Amino acid sequence: MLTLDNVKMVFAPGTPDENTVLKNINLTVNRGDFITVIGSNGAGKSTLYNVIAGTLMPVSGKITVCLDGKNIRDITHEREYRRAHYIGRIFQNPLLGTAGKMRLEDNMMICCRKGYKGLKISLNNKMRDYFRSRLRELDMGLENRLNDNVEQFSGGQRQALTLLMAIMSEPALLLLDEHTAALDPANAEVVMDLTRRFAEEYHLTVMMITHNMNHALSFGNRLLMMDSGEIILDVNGKEKENLTLDDIVERFRRIKKHDLVSDQMLLQ
């Protein structure tokens, strides 16, 4: 579905501050994959997302996408706003995915217009009924708050709403960038439960960056580990199902020839 061939990203090239943050990345994301992405701070995870989403353009390499199962399109230099039609992204900050000063129904209307392929649609009672039916999937009572400004909602409610609206726009690929890291544990688990359920019900293709190793091991069919701008581990299927934290530490040691010392990864 999405392929990166020898993708390289360099910040401040040709200067004393030159920093190669992605080193010839080769990656194929298959339709229906749920990939958890782990790695210490500075490993290149968010930069990888930025390159996939079109926020950053690689200095070399090629990115292709196949949306219809037949035609492969080179999107290496395609702008972010164009990729947003088929790549959704949810950030760590729950305030970024919604417009706080706007009513809930207006936020959802913008989402529908983004994903709608037919004639012009209008906000009417039929659409409001549709919004209520979708909001019931969250089980948070938001179906009764269509006229409330989203800034009145809690962080957990806003992130759950962001997840629902991302799915409503029918992305070919959904990028989750530590989307529960800013939430308290209870709300984080609610959003993670919704993530698992939506991924299964809607057959989503997902990449999820996380520092929570329990989530990395228990979610998805595939796990990537990044370090120093490289993908150093890529496991899937039964191998991923049987993977433990000790296995990850040992494999890192064998690959990198030194110990994994990131407390942020090991203690969560």
Side-chain angles (χ1 to χ4, degrees), residues 117-186:
K117 307 299 191 297
L119 301 174
K120 183 177 179 181
I121 54 176
S122 303
L123 180 56
N124 52 36
N125 288 334
K126 183 177 180 180
M127 287 302 298
R128 291 185 178 97
D129 287 342
Y130 171 66
F131 293 160
R132 291 188 186 98
S133 70
R134 297 306 303 261
L135 288 165
R136 290 189 189 100
E137 298 181 54
L138 300 180
D139 195 24
M140 291 181 169
L142 295 183
E143 64 272 16
N144 303 315
R145 301 185 65 180
L146 286 179
N147 288 316
D148 289 348
N149 284 2
V150 172
E151 66 182 356
Q152 299 176 31
F153 301 164
S154 70
Q157 289 173 323
R158 288 185 71 164
Q159 200 69 322
L161 176 60
T162 299
L163 179 62
L164 177 64
M165 293 197 304
I167 291 163
M168 288 172 61
S169 66
E170 300 181 353
L173 173 65
L174 181 61
L175 303 176
L176 304 176
D177 196 348
E178 298 187 68
H179 68 307
T180 63
L183 304 178
D184 63 81

Side-chain angles (χ1 to χ4, degrees), residues 53-238:
T55 310
L56 296 172
M57 301 297 165
V59 298
S60 62
K62 185 177 181 180
I63 304 173
T64 56
V65 66
C66 180
L67 300 176
D68 58 6
K70 300 176 183 178
N71 300 302
I72 297 174
R73 188 165 88 244
D74 185 344
I75 63 167
T76 309
H77 301 292
E78 186 175 74
R79 296 298 179 184
E80 182 177 17
Y81 76 92
R82 291 190 179 277
R83 297 191 206 185
H85 288 288
Y86 54 89
I87 296 179
R89 187 172 183 181
I90 300 179
F91 295 89
Q92 181 179 134
N93 186 344
L95 307 185
L96 292 179
T98 50
K101 298 294 184 182
M102 294 176 64
R103 294 177 301 178
L104 172 54
E105 62 181 21
D106 293 324
N107 273 268
M108 298 189 74
M109 196 66 191
I110 291 172
C111 164
C112 284
R113 284 176 176 152
K114 172 186 173 185
Y116 196 69
K117 307 299 191 297
L119 301 174
K120 183 177 179 181
I121 54 176
S122 303
L123 180 56
N124 52 36
N125 288 334
K126 183 177 180 180
M127 287 302 298
R128 291 185 178 97
D129 287 342
Y130 171 66
F131 293 160
R132 291 188 186 98
S133 70
R134 297 306 303 261
L135 288 165
R136 290 189 189 100
E137 298 181 54
L138 300 180
D139 195 24
M140 291 181 169
L142 295 183
E143 64 272 16
N144 303 315
R145 301 185 65 180
L146 286 179
N147 288 316
D148 289 348
N149 284 2
V150 172
E151 66 182 356
Q152 299 176 31
F153 301 164
S154 70
Q157 289 173 323
R158 288 185 71 164
Q159 200 69 322
L161 176 60
T162 299
L163 179 62
L164 177 64
M165 293 197 304
I167 291 163
M168 288 172 61
S169 66
E170 300 181 353
L173 173 65
L174 181 61
L175 303 176
L176 304 176
D177 196 348
E178 298 187 68
H179 68 307
T180 63
L183 304 178
D184 63 81
N187 275 313
E189 286 308 306
V190 169
V191 173
M192 288 305 301
D193 287 343
L194 287 170
T195 300
R196 188 194 301 274
R197 177 159 63 85
F198 287 161
E200 293 174 354
E201 289 181 4
Y202 296 103
H203 309 290
L204 302 176
T205 303
V206 180
M207 294 181 68
M208 182 179 77
I209 294 175
T210 181
H211 277 113
N212 186 311
M213 293 305 298
N214 289 328
H215 292 162
L217 293 171
S218 62
F219 277 75
N221 66 303
R222 187 173 167 193
L223 180 144
L224 300 182
M225 184 177 188
M226 296 190 67
D227 184 71
S228 301
E230 299 176 297
I231 296 173
I232 64 170
L233 186 65
D234 183 352
V235 294
N236 58 58
K238 288 294 183 181

